[in-house]
Amino acid sequence: MRRFGLALLSLCLSGAAPAFAQSPPAGPVGDHVRAYVASVNSADPTEMSNIRDRDFSEAFNKQVSLRSFQRFSRNQRRATGGIDLVAVRPADPTASRVEVVLKDRLYGGLHGLALEFETTGERRITSVEPGATPAWSAELASPLPAKALAASIERMVARGCESDVFSGAVLVAKDGAVLVEKACGEANRRYHARNTVETRFNLGSMNKMFTAVAVLQLVEAGKVSLDDPLSRYADETWLPRAVSDPITVRQLLTHTSGLGNYLGDRFRGSSRALYGQLDDYKPLVQGEAPEFKPGTQYAYSNTGMLMLGVVIEKASGVSYFDYVREHIYKPAGMTRTDSYPMDQPVENLAVGYVYAPDQPYGWRENTFDHTFRGSPAGGGFSTVGDLLRFATALQAGKLVSPAGLKTLWTDHPPNGYGAGFTVQASAAGRIVGHDGSFAGISSQLDIYLDRGYVAVALSNQDAGATTLIGAIQSEVARVAGP
């Protein structure tokens, strides 16, 4: 999963210690834990700067600028209302990785976080990885009757809407029956157009699910093999064979190819109008080389998913956009989903907003941040209802076979990611799906494989969906039975 997320951590215990602790231990790790909690809860930029310099590793600070760290802390404080530590547990004998359960003050939901530390010296923080509450945390919350779940979630949504932390739409279903379907906020602040449950929201990286399903369909049709080299589908106008020969389709799907992120400085410094079709992205990919030997590590890669779009086009003989429209959206009944070019007057399309308290209106439109059109890596639009239809079609076997679903939903190797889908072992059971995060975009689909629930939150504000969907997970975990 992508790293540097929500906000809390802790460590450790010896073999004789209890399964979890209520507070961080004494020593360097405990100090770093307390400091990081303070960085999220504090509004003092100087304190955040001091914490970053003192409590995070040099390698982390090279990757995450002070401005990004301060913005992250500010946004998380706003999205959560602040955080409190609930429990901690080491994930390995050396306590170099720990699992944390925290509680947000806005919704009152429990959230999971994994923290990694240096193994020697000052034991500073090297990575922050948010996720579902771990399975061992199920005992931490009081039971909730199934009949009370919908009302509890509706109260959470109302709190997010009333505080202006959440703007968007939410849907929760059980065995196909909708329990909660709510929308709030404005799709367009210029014209005060309200969000509805039919509003189309930018999905961010959630499009990766559609790309992965399309690849598996082509595998099942005998047109692609997971072990095919990328060079079979992408010629040297994309990447030299020395780069593409060792990379397989499977590695692209599982983010183990070593490729990076084509949406870098060159993209940010160029006109968005340049990128409408997949071939238009060639200048952003040419010259890229794997950061490690393919297949040896996990590193979330937008370039890898873009290249899977090239695989789909070559194997199917049609454009990526036509393929997913005909083979995924249409059979699933997703009539309000597509990668719409941004110069088309698509009805009920939400504008994304970036929290900007230093600007006159307090918000900034993301119009000049995102792509002109979605891609295999993300950026398309959909509705909460269409995403429920997608989840239903997947589980019913309408899009890929059970064997294909196993490939998509198996964590290989263990890193919280399958093939185009996140894979979580949580207090609410196994959850698969994907999130999306970008300037003015926050989205997530959760499919509860053991419980029959589907939860979708789509927001046209920074971090609007993440905390809410996590709080919904914690409520589902409180309900006894399947």
Side-chain angles (χ1 to χ4, degrees):
M1 298 173 71
R2 283 160 293 177
R3 300 192 171 190
F4 189 45
L6 207 42
L8 196 31
L9 16 61
S10 187
L11 196 220
C12 103
L13 320 331
S14 65
F20 57 85
Q22 295 301 109
S23 61
V29 169
D31 292 341
H32 299 321
V33 168
R34 295 179 185 91
Y36 187 48
V37 174
S39 76
V40 173
N41 290 334
S42 173
D44 184 351
T46 300
E47 182 179 10
M48 296 181 207
S49 175
N50 291 338
I51 289 170
R52 174 179 173 272
D53 293 341
R54 183 188 65 234
D55 298 280
F56 285 80
S57 69
E58 183 178 346
F60 180 95
N61 289 337
K62 285 182 178 179
Q63 293 181 336
V64 180
S65 69
L66 174 58
R67 182 179 179 183
S68 295
F69 183 81
Q70 291 174 333
R71 183 170 59 245
F72 163 79
S73 298
R74 180 195 68 193
N75 287 345
Q76 289 304 311
R77 183 173 62 258
R78 183 175 184 276
T80 63
I83 54 175
D84 296 300
L85 177 66
V86 176
V88 300
R89 176 184 269 188
D92 60 56
T94 66
S96 61
R97 180 181 173 90
V98 297
E99 294 177 337
V100 182
V101 178
L102 59 99
K103 187 174 185 178
D104 74 80
R105 297 174 186 173
L106 176 60
Y107 300 110
L110 299 182
H111 307 268
L113 188 78
L115 261 288
E116 292 186 358
F117 299 86
E118 296 172 322
T119 57
T120 59
E122 298 179 23
R123 303 295 307 278
R124 293 175 298 180
I125 300 165
T126 60
S127 75
V128 183
E129 183 180 331
T133 52
W136 56 262
S137 68
E139 61 192 280
L140 301 177
S142 59
L144 178 71
K147 63 182 180 181
L149 177 62
S152 179
I153 293 174
E154 287 183 350
R155 287 192 294 271
M156 285 180 166
V157 175
R159 285 196 290 273
C161 294
E162 291 165 3
S163 64
D164 199 26
V165 167
F166 182 79
S167 169
V170 178
L171 183 151
V172 179
K174 166 69 169 173
D175 298 327
V178 175
L179 302 179
V180 176
E181 192 173 22
K182 298 288 183 181
C184 68
E186 293 182 326
N188 191 307
R189 289 173 179 256
R190 290 175 185 254
Y191 305 108
H192 301 295
R194 305 295 299 176
N195 284 321
T196 74
V197 295
E198 294 297 326
T199 298
R200 298 172 168 97
F201 294 92
N202 196 308
L203 299 177
S205 288
M206 289 176 67
N207 283 80
K208 290 180 173 68
M209 295 184 293
F210 309 146
T211 299
V213 170
V215 171
L216 262 293
Q217 288 178 342
L218 293 168
V219 168
E220 294 181 348
K223 296 181 178 181
V224 173
S225 168
L226 292 177
D227 296 317
D228 281 343
L230 173 57
S231 57
R232 179 175 176 180
Y233 305 96
D235 62 29
E236 293 195 274
T237 63
W238 281 100
L239 291 166
R241 294 200 59 166
V243 172
S244 59
D245 273 346
I247 296 174
T248 67
V249 172
R250 189 189 308 274
Q251 291 162 355
L252 295 171
L253 282 167
T254 58
H255 294 293
T256 57
S257 70
L259 295 176
N261 181 20
Y262 67 96
L263 299 173
D265 291 341
R266 185 170 180 178
F267 168 77
R268 288 190 289 270
S270 58
S271 169
R272 303 299 186 266
L274 295 173
Y275 311 109
Q277 301 296 327
L278 265 56
D279 281 356
D280 297 336
Y281 289 99
K282 285 183 180 180
L284 304 182
V285 174
Q286 291 163 348
E288 188 169 329
E291 298 175 3
F292 50 81
K293 181 180 179 182
T296 62
Q297 299 181 43
Y298 169 87
Y300 191 83
S301 172
N302 282 317
T303 300
M305 280 290 166
L306 175 70
M307 297 313 297
L308 284 175
V310 178
V311 172
I312 291 166
E313 290 194 340
K314 181 69 172 180
S316 68
V318 299
S319 79
Y320 168 81
F321 304 106
D322 288 343
Y323 184 90
V324 294
R325 189 181 301 117
E326 290 299 315
H327 296 271
I328 296 176
Y329 305 154
K330 188 174 180 178
M334 301 166 69
T335 60
R336 301 178 66 82
T337 302
D338 213 327
S339 291
Y340 304 110
M342 297 310 296
D343 62 354
Q344 294 184 5
V346 180
E347 66 177 8
N348 210 353
L349 199 75
V351 174
Y353 292 92
V354 180
Y355 183 54
D358 56 338
Q359 296 190 13
Y361 294 97
W363 295 92
R364 177 177 62 80
E365 290 187 1
N366 71 352
T367 309
F368 297 102
D369 293 315
H370 62 64
T371 58
F372 171 73
R373 188 182 193 182
S375 78
F381 286 79
S382 190
T383 67
V384 290
D386 268 8
L387 289 168
L388 172 60
R389 295 178 189 96
F390 173 66
T392 301
L394 269 179
Q395 294 182 289
K398 291 184 177 180
L399 301 179
V400 294
S401 70
L405 290 180
K406 184 176 181 180
T407 298
L408 295 171
W409 294 345
T410 297
D411 193 351
H412 34 201
N415 49 44
Y417 207 93
F421 286 76
T422 55
V423 179
Q424 304 176 80
S426 77
R430 295 177 299 151
I431 301 175
V432 299
H434 215 290
D435 64 328
S437 179
F438 197 65
I441 298 165
S442 182
S443 60
Q444 189 162 330
L445 167 67
D446 283 353
I447 304 171
Y448 294 73
L449 298 181
D450 303 322
R451 308 289 298 274
Y453 292 96
V454 172
V456 190
L458 302 178
S459 179
N460 61 327
Q461 290 182 180
D462 288 337
T466 307
T467 305
L468 176 55
I469 204 78
I472 290 172
Q473 287 181 7
S474 73
E475 290 302 274
V476 172
R478 293 173 59 197
V479 177

